[in-house]
């Protein structure tokens, strides 16, 4: 177990395994690093240095009512990289983790990064004329208010019956759902509300097209969280990108198809070595 103190004295929990080039895994909204990446870390760490982190307010990291913005989360990731002297990092973001990666790029460019991996996320949450890829396929400010109300007044039902239901093509057993919910409850309700609002308040569509490092896009064909072909849109915007589609997953291909996910990610990182030495 390792903790790193942020400049504002919030302890950030992280774990490291393996040796080699660094893969930094950033989890999604209200989740954590250790539990949600459990099907990936052991396999990936056979060849790479794998770092997982719990965002501030999440998992085993310090709890605070303040500074739950994507820009702050990205600054925390930056501080973690600097403190651990991580360079040439493959930054993997799942869902809100991708938004944090985009915020990192918006603030710091590709400094300390070798590549991105984005897992099932849209760069803009709300419905808008001409925009086909909002959250849940249709999402309005009024819907955001409804999510906030549900989290504040009936979080167990909302998370178990709607959020976790949408995470998977095949709903896990009730024991696993209860286990997942218990892990998500490590994130206080106030933090989940603030983080969700921050997640929705950003528009990264203009940032996506500026990405200048290799990017692997890992999207689910059956995603109930981000339905529609947003992966193809992202692929069109990012010049040096690869798109991998998971046919048997919803929002969590790393959980539903872990063997393929691990293989695709490891193959992508291995291919970066050829680019580094200028091979065609």
């Amino acid at each position: 177990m390792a903790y790193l103190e942020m400049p504002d004295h919030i302890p950030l929990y992280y774990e490291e395994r393996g040796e080699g080039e660094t893969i930094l895994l950033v989890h999604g909204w209200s989740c954590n690093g250790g539990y949600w990446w459990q099907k990936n870390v052991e396999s990936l760490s056979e060849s790479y240095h794998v770092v997982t982190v719990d965002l501030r307010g999440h998992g085993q990291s310090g709890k605070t009512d303040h500074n739950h913005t994507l820009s702050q989360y990205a600054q925390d990731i930056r501080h973690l990289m600097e403190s651990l002297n991580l360079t040439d990092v493959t930054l993997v973001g799942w869902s809100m983790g991708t938004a944090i990666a985009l915020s990192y790029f918006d603030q710091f460019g590709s400094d300390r990064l070798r590549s991105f991996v984005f897992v099932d996320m849209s760069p803009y949450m709300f419905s808008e004329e001409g925009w086909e890829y909002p959250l849940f396929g249709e999402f309005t400010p009024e819907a955001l208010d409804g999510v906030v109300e549900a989290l504040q007044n009936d979080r167990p039902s909302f998370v178990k019956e709607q959020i976790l239901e949408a995470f998977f093509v095949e709903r896990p057993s009730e024991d696993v759902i209860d286990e997942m919910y218990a892990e998500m409850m490590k994130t206080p309700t106030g933090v989940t509300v603030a983080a969700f609002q921050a997640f929705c308040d950003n528009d990264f569509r203009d940032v996506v097209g500026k990405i200048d490092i290799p990017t692997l896009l890992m999207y689910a064909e059956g995603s109930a969280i981000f339905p529609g072909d947003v992966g193809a849109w992202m692929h069109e915007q990012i010049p040096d990108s690869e798109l991998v589609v998971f046919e048997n997953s919803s929002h969590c291909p790393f959980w539903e198809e872990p063997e393929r996910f691990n293989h695709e990610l490891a193959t992508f990182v291995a291919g970066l070595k050829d680019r580094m030495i200028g091979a065609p």
Side-chain angles (χ1 to χ4, degrees), residues 22 81 87-93 101-102 104-106 108-118 207-217 234-235 237-242 268 272 275-276:
T22 297
M81 289 186 189
T87 58
D88 293 328
V89 173
T90 292
L91 183 57
V92 181
L102 290 171
Y104 181 101
F105 183 79
D106 196 33
F108 308 110
S110 56
D111 188 52
R112 292 187 176 268
L113 302 180
R114 181 68 185 96
S115 61
F116 281 126
V117 178
F118 297 156
V207 175
V208 169
K210 299 175 184 177
I211 293 174
D212 56 358
I213 56 176
T215 301
L216 176 62
L217 305 166
M234 297 279 281
H235 186 36
Q237 306 305 309
I238 304 173
D240 190 2
S241 64
E242 303 172 27
F268 172 72
L272 297 174
R275 303 187 192 200
M276 291 176 69

Side-chain angles (χ1 to χ4, degrees), residues 19 40 47-48 66 76 95-96 115 159 219 244 248:
E19 298 179 352
N40 318 109
S47 302
Y48 300 105
H66 308 291
D76 291 345
S95 195
M96 189 178 78
S115 61
V159 172
Y219 280 74
V244 174
N248 301 309

Side-chain angles (χ1 to χ4, degrees), residues 69-83:
T69 65
L70 298 188
S71 60
Q72 180 62 62
Y73 291 152
Q75 289 164 30
D76 291 345
I77 296 299
R78 171 73 172 186
H79 189 72
L80 177 71
M81 289 186 189
E82 291 176 338
S83 299

Side-chain angles (χ1 to χ4, degrees), residues 3-4 6 10-15 24-34 36-37 52-64 66-78 80 91-101 186-188 191-192 195-196 198-199:
Y3 285 89
L4 179 68
M6 296 294 100
I10 298 299
L12 205 71
Y13 178 78
Y14 69 95
E15 296 183 359
L24 174 53
L25 302 169
V26 182
H27 62 78
W29 169 77
S30 82
C31 298
N32 59 59
W36 289 89
W37 299 112
T52 60
V53 60
D54 290 355
L55 299 170
R56 62 170 57 215
H58 295 68
Q60 299 187 66
S61 286
K63 305 302 184 280
T64 172
H66 308 291
N67 292 332
H68 293 289
T69 65
L70 298 188
S71 60
Q72 180 62 62
Y73 291 152
Q75 289 164 30
D76 291 345
I77 296 299
R78 171 73 172 186
L80 177 71
L91 183 57
V92 181
W94 163 49
S95 195
M96 189 178 78
T98 290
I100 293 166
K186 293 178 180 178
T187 306
V191 174
T192 69
F196 193 82
F199 190 11

